[in-house]
Amino acid sequence: MARGNSQGGGDGNRRDRNRGNPAEERADSDIVEKLVHITRVAATVKGGRRFSFAALMIVGDQKGRVGFGHGKAREVPEAIRKATEEAKKTMIRVPLRESRTLHHDGNGRWGAGKVMVRSAPPGTGVIAGGPMRAVLETLGVQDVVGKSVGSSNPYNMVRATFEALKAQSSPRQVAAKRGKKVADVIGRRADGASAAGDGE
């Protein structure tokens, strides 16, 4: 009986989704979706074990915005749909250097997951594996070096990668915080080695 009710509720939600604004569907047409991980999970209930599927999705516009979401349902397509909707709601914007790489190196940590990301010169490509690669490609990074030095759990790796991306800041943001001009910040970044040598 419970199963029939849950299916009926799902159909009602599907009808409500079909009534959505078509303009919103067109706006989301340029968003790239990637399935990172899907697994079957079980919940022990009074009548035995109830199986369902959990999905981890990454979405992004490959222009500096990316998000991730987790969804769980009795069927795989519904779990993917839930994860995709959550990912679109939690998208973040990451400043990119020359629209191809990160502005600076960064570290991220979530639980036992630890990742490192480094900016790279043109032609390097995306040197990263597993969930990290999915996040960086969906973000739109073309040249980057990433490495996971902690847990290989995809959920922790994705969250750690997002923590590293959230710490990224552009020269414009740094200049605004310090009350300086963007040219001064970029000049110091370019001449950082010589400035450090003069200071010593």
Side-chain angles (χ1 to χ4, degrees):
M1 296 297 291
R3 183 178 301 173
N5 291 339
S6 64
Q7 291 177 350
D11 292 339
N13 292 338
R14 193 173 295 113
R15 283 194 295 270
D16 292 339
R17 289 196 309 275
N18 292 336
R19 292 192 206 123
N21 188 356
E24 294 179 358
E25 295 176 4
R26 286 197 300 270
D28 294 343
S29 61
D30 60 342
I31 290 182
V32 178
E33 304 171 358
K34 287 198 176 185
L35 176 63
V36 173
H37 185 71
I38 189 162
T39 184
R40 192 178 75 165
V41 295
T44 304
V45 295
K46 187 175 181 181
R49 282 194 289 182
R50 180 177 297 170
F51 293 99
S52 57
F53 294 91
L56 178 63
M57 291 288 296
I58 306 291
V59 302
D61 59 0
Q62 295 186 326
K63 297 177 183 176
R65 293 180 65 220
V66 67
F68 74 96
H70 171 253
K72 189 184 294 184
R74 299 290 293 275
E75 296 180 1
V76 173
E78 187 67 10
I80 292 175
R81 184 193 64 79
K82 287 182 178 180
T84 304
E85 287 187 357
E86 181 182 337
K88 289 179 180 178
K89 292 178 183 177
T90 60
M91 292 179 73
I92 62 172
R93 182 170 292 281
V94 181
L96 298 180
R97 184 178 181 183
E98 300 172 0
S99 299
R100 62 166 187 84
T101 188
L102 302 175
H103 281 284
H104 55 82
D105 302 348
N107 297 319
R109 178 170 183 172
W110 186 278
K114 302 176 188 176
V115 301
M116 297 184 298
V117 290
R118 303 187 66 180
S119 57
T124 303
V126 179
I127 301 179
M132 279 188 69
R133 186 180 190 89
V135 174
L136 295 171
E137 286 181 346
T138 311
L139 175 63
V141 180
Q142 300 172 12
D143 303 300
V144 68
V145 178
K147 183 169 181 63
S148 171
V149 293
S151 169
S152 59
N153 183 312
Y155 292 90
N156 286 344
M157 283 181 65
V158 167
R159 287 186 169 95
T161 305
F162 270 78
E163 290 299 312
L165 294 176
K166 287 178 183 177
Q168 290 288 314
S169 57
S170 66
R172 182 178 301 175
Q173 294 170 338
V174 174
K177 287 181 181 178
R178 298 181 181 177
K180 297 180 178 291
K181 295 180 180 179
V182 177
D184 297 337
V185 176
I186 295 178
R188 290 189 62 180
R189 180 176 66 182
D191 302 334
S194 60
D198 296 339
E200 292 175 357

